[in-house]
Amino acid sequence: MNQSFLQYAQQKSEQQERKRVFPSQCPFCSMQCKMQLVEQHVEGRTRYQTIGIHNPTTFGRICMKGQHAHQHALHRERLNHPLIKRNGQFVKATWQEALEEIKTRTEALQAAHGHDAISVYGSASITNEEAYLLGKFARVALKTKHIDYNGRLCMSSAATAANQTFGLDRGLTFPLRDIKDARVLILAGTNIAECQPTLMPYMEEAKKNGAFLIVIDPRKTATAQLADLHVSLKPGSDAALTNGILHIMLQEHLIDEEFIRKRTSGFQEMKQHITQMSLTDIVQQTGVPVEVLQKIARKFAQEKTGIILTARGIEQQIDGTAAVRNLLNILIATGKIGKPGCGYGAITGQGNGQGAREHGQKADQLPGYRDITNPLHRKEIAKIWNIDEKELPGKGVSAFEMFEKMQEGEIKALFLMCSNPVQSGPHASFIKEAIEQLSFFVAIDLFVSETAALADVILPTSSYLEDEGTMTNIEGRVTLREATYPLKHQRKHDWQIICDIATVLGKGDYFSFSSAEDIFEELRAATKGGKADYSGITYERLRKEQGILWPCSHLEDPGTERLFEHEFSHPDKLAKFAVVAHGKKVAKEPVSQEYPLYLTTGRVMAHYQTGVQTRKSTSLVARQFEAYAELHPDTAKAYGLQHGELVTIRSTRGSVIIRCHLSDTIRKDTVFVPFHWSKHQSINQLIGEHLDPHSKMPGFKYCPVQLSAYKN
Ligand SMILES: Nc1nc2c(c(=O)[nH]1)N[C@H]1C(S)=C(S)[C@@H](COP(=O)(O)OP(=O)(O)OC[C@H]3O[C@@H](n4cnc5c(=O)[nH]c(N)nc54)[C@H](O)[C@@H]3O)O[C@H]1N2
Ligand SMILES: Nc1nc2c(c(=O)[nH]1)N[C@H]1C(S)=C(S)[C@@H](COP(=O)(O)OP(=O)(O)OC[C@H]3O[C@@H](n4cnc5c(=O)[nH]c(N)nc54)[C@H](O)[C@@H]3O)O[C@H]1N2
Ligand code: SF4
Ligand SMILES: [Mo]
């Protein structure tokens, strides 16, 4: 063997030795794809590669965002140490200094203005353990009623609707493998191809088995390209559309009478309401021809199995709850739930969109989906937390309403964990002003986001690579995110930060946790007997069984794949029909001569949410580096706009300047803009502050606007 080969072989084996593999789950969407980061030192350089790992939900698939997620986690702009703002500038601080600042200012504000002067804003991108702990932190350490989270802007209409109809909200009422057995699928306001790419193969399999796919979306999205029927409705008209479908179902007797009789309540009221409606009005309001409504009604009723999936297109409306309930009316009128190949699914959004809505981050909620106004529930949780029930605060207000209270001066301080509301909230300039009014603001983030930039103290946290914990994915499957990448610099895990702050506030005894698993053990006990019961789940089981679908109430319980097979979760065990108003009865701002077009907003494949993370990734920025306004070529022509030109889009609340992209896949009366970019491209400056009365969801998907060519 010659010398140089030996040297080469030795070098190679050294490199191999320096290869390290770190397990995790993608920090982005609800598919929670399992992955590994492979770190390798080659010729003096460190190279990273992310690969998918087999699991029962995504089978090792990952999409471009997951593939490049490490680029933000390892980015040079990631926060390394606490920052305190002094004379308008952030200066580096130690943890001791930061915690001291938090203690002094929080205690002073509470002494002067009471406990409820402090608010907490959480997230569905943190682990179950952290979501649980944040709820406990607000109620036990701060003793404030004011806690809510970014999931309010995300899943709340679907959650409210499912609770009202079924008495229980779990995103999917069925396991994902049921999709292949559905003969007809309705996808309403969900762009799975871009937003949950690794879910698409389930749709493709269903289609291969002969399923008829209906996509309801004002744009012919990448998802709609797969559809057998694409329904391009006017934005915001889903409630009317579904009333039309129900009208035809009743007219043509396309219903399952036996199911209605045995398993539902409220049918007669719904029927009476629907039969008074005029299909002509519905056709006019939705822009959808009656033949299309007939086709959907007949197809969905006549096939033996069917699934309805919704996401934010239909839900992020000020009548989002009603619109989802109307789709659920269709589902229960045709008896398509509780059996294989049937059911409802709200496609969850953020990585822990499901779990983070169960454990007490919501203003009205305690762990395990318990109700903070229910005396029995309060007692159960007070016992677990070892406090007197009277010490537990009452119900607070929803996410946007907290900002209103900041503006009014009632809320004086904010603890923000894992969210960027200055860009993600409706009427964004109002939210910024509200935050600027605060006397004290602490942000816990990976970066100095647009919102964190306004903080008095920023605390540096750990990312998906470092932070172990459980996440509940799209299926309702609780998964264990093993994360072993070393925690560098002064960063701490979100849960450690919560415990440290509680400790300086004198509440350390209630927060003496030493690991995520330690917190999970308390979470298990706190959810026992609740609707979202995790008490039978352990880390050991999660490792062995690769995830468990809740409810799971004891160690031998395999978990629950399909819900509502025999009964619904209301006290009478029945599903409830809803009476849904639409059109002029709903207080949506109409399009007018001055604001003649519908603006709707959403996502693109390469970016995530407010873009704080994905805008740091060179590979993802290369795919899409700025916002754009999707316009029909005829609309562009009417405004004298060419593809690629800058356009000003204005609503009654604000304006943005962005480049237009012409595409005949969008309705002529509609403009679509993604919300991943900031400053003059931040589309939420235009969105209104009105909320759905049931879920408190803003209307991100509907806003009358005007266009004009940008002149500088
Ligand atoms: N690439 C990417 N993936 C993501 C995210 C991301 O930011 N980027 N975010 C994650 C999160 S948190 C969420 S919540 C999900 C969101 O997932 P989706 O809800 O699927 O995504 P959106 O693009 O917000 O909206 C979906 C569709 O609604 C349509 N739509 C607009 N108005 C209406 C309407 O009035 N009626 C109907 N029927 N449809 C309408 C839009 O044209 C759009 O195609 O995605 C998750 N996955
Ligand atoms: N116009 C319009 N607006 C929308 C929507 C829309 O469709 N249209 N969709 C809405 C929806 S569905 C959602 S979910 C919201 C999302 O809105 P946000 O929650 O505001 O969006 P993100 O960009 O996910 O913000 C997460 C922040 O947390 C930081 N972060 C990431 N990981 C961690 C962590 O582990 N710990 C901590 N402490 N910080 C971390 C990131 O750096 C980032 O600054 O936006 C809503 N806003
Ligand atoms: S963004 Fe969603 S689909 Fe893509 S890798 Fe991450 S979890 Fe999977
Ligand atoms: Mo979301």
Side-chain angles (χ1 to χ4, degrees), residues 67-86:
Q67 203 185 335
H68 299 298
H70 59 275
Q71 292 183 348
H72 81 261
L74 305 174
H75 196 271
R76 63 188 142 69
E77 284 174 32
R78 229 185 106 183
L79 290 164
N80 291 336
H81 44 73
L83 295 171
I84 299 182
K85 202 176 265 167
R86 302 263 183 240

Side-chain angles (χ1 to χ4, degrees), residues 109-315:
L109 284 170
Q110 287 201 316
H113 306 284
H115 292 124
D116 294 337
I118 314 284
S119 63
V120 179
Y121 192 101
S123 173
S125 291
I126 53 179
T127 62
N128 286 315
E129 292 78 355
E130 288 157 351
Y132 166 78
L133 209 60
L134 198 66
K136 181 176 178 182
F137 171 75
R139 276 66 174 244
V140 176
L142 295 172
K143 296 190 172 178
T144 178
K145 66 178 179 184
H146 287 309
I147 172 165
D148 215 58
Y149 79 125
N150 67 3
R152 185 70 73 170
L153 315 180
C154 179
M155 308 288 314
S156 62
S157 292
T160 308
N163 269 325
Q164 290 177 351
T165 297
F166 306 136
L168 177 70
D169 152 46
R170 190 184 81 185
L172 262 54
T173 65
F174 53 86
L176 281 174
R177 63 179 158 74
D178 269 13
I179 292 178
K180 67 176 186 322
D181 302 321
R183 295 289 306 158
V184 52
L185 287 153
I186 297 181
L187 272 52
T190 164
N191 185 8
I192 292 168
E194 299 207 56
C195 296
Q196 294 80 16
T198 58
L199 182 59
M200 274 313 263
Y202 286 93
M203 305 298 147
E204 282 154 4
E205 201 184 349
K207 278 214 64 168
K208 225 182 276 161
N209 292 343
F212 189 83
L213 181 62
I214 301 166
V215 172
I216 305 171
D217 195 307
R219 304 185 302 137
K220 190 162 188 182
T221 57
T223 311
Q225 310 279 351
L226 197 73
D228 298 289
L229 177 63
H230 169 225
V231 184
S232 182
L233 83 176
K234 284 186 196 167
S237 67
D238 295 87
L241 182 93
T242 38
N243 271 335
I245 297 168
L246 276 167
H247 193 284
I248 293 160
M249 284 182 158
L250 293 171
Q251 216 175 27
E252 300 187 6
H253 212 76
L254 299 164
I255 52 172
D256 182 339
E257 277 187 353
E258 196 189 340
F259 186 91
I260 294 171
R261 197 175 55 246
K262 288 192 179 151
R263 307 254 344 239
T264 70
S265 66
F267 178 72
Q268 287 309 329
E269 292 87 325
M270 188 276 294
K271 184 174 172 184
Q272 209 174 10
H273 170 70
I274 297 278
T275 38
Q276 290 162 2
M277 286 179 182
S278 136
L279 273 181
T280 322
D281 286 352
I282 289 176
V283 166
Q284 194 261 327
Q285 284 168 22
T286 57
V288 177
V290 76
E291 297 73 36
V292 173
L293 299 176
Q294 279 163 347
K295 178 127 201 197
I296 303 173
R298 289 172 191 160
K299 194 75 198 166
F300 195 76
Q302 283 162 359
E303 290 289 357
K304 245 190 144 61
T305 53
I307 282 177
I308 298 181
L309 299 173
T310 67
R312 310 305 88 78
I314 169 168
E315 300 163 17

Side-chain angles (χ1 to χ4, degrees), residues 154 312 349-350 603 609:
C154 179
R312 310 305 88 78
Q350 296 166 85
R603 296 155 164 86
Q609 316 278 57

Side-chain angles (χ1 to χ4, degrees), residues 352-536:
N352 200 22
Q354 182 64 51
R357 73 177 190 255
E358 302 158 0
H359 303 306
Q361 277 188 98
K362 270 175 124 166
D364 54 356
Q365 188 199 62
L366 290 171
Y369 269 147
R370 284 188 175 81
D371 175 355
I372 203 161
T373 63
N374 179 320
L376 184 68
H377 292 183
R378 290 172 64 82
K379 254 193 215 132
E380 286 166 339
I381 293 302
K383 191 163 169 233
I384 299 282
W385 287 349
N386 203 14
I387 58 171
D388 191 325
E389 186 264 320
K390 290 189 200 72
E391 288 177 67
L392 258 184
K395 177 178 161 179
V397 297
S398 74
F400 185 76
E401 292 168 309
M402 288 207 300
F403 295 108
E404 288 178 328
K405 290 200 177 295
M406 294 175 205
Q407 175 84 350
E408 290 156 11
E410 192 181 322
I411 291 179
K412 307 268 181 211
L414 167 65
F415 285 86
L416 174 73
M417 177 170 276
C418 193
S419 186
N420 185 17
V422 160
Q423 204 185 310
S424 59
H427 198 179
S429 56
F430 173 88
I431 292 189
K432 184 159 186 263
E433 279 164 31
I435 290 180
E436 282 166 348
Q437 302 263 323
L438 291 169
S439 305
F440 188 50
F441 169 26
V442 180
I444 303 154
D445 206 298
L446 306 172
F447 297 99
V448 184
S449 69
E450 287 74 11
T451 310
L454 307 173
D456 298 292
V457 177
I458 312 183
L459 303 175
T461 192
S462 58
S463 76
Y464 76 106
L465 287 176
E466 301 118 14
D467 192 20
E468 180 187 72
T470 62
M471 308 285 278
T472 307
N473 77 5
I474 185 166
E475 277 187 292
R477 183 187 296 274
V478 184
T479 63
L480 177 60
R481 181 176 79 189
E482 316 244 21
T484 56
Y485 196 83
L487 197 55
K488 294 183 179 168
H489 309 286
Q490 300 294 308
R491 296 166 188 152
K492 292 189 185 195
H493 299 305
D494 285 312
W495 64 264
Q496 287 178 317
I497 298 174
I498 298 170
C499 294
D500 285 358
I501 301 175
T503 303
V504 291
L505 294 175
K507 298 288 178 184
D509 288 353
Y510 302 92
F511 293 84
S512 57
F513 300 100
S514 56
S515 67
E517 188 170 4
D518 212 7
I519 304 165
F520 191 76
E521 287 302 307
E522 189 176 293
L523 180 154
R524 285 179 63 199
T527 61
K528 191 167 182 58
K531 283 183 173 174
D533 192 331
Y534 282 41
S535 60

Side-chain angles (χ1 to χ4, degrees), residues 26 28-29 31-33 35 62-63 65-66 195-198:
C26 176
F28 301 127
C29 87
M31 295 307 289
Q32 279 307 288
C33 300
M35 48 177 53
I62 56 171
C63 79
K65 281 191 302 305
C195 296
Q196 294 80 16
T198 58

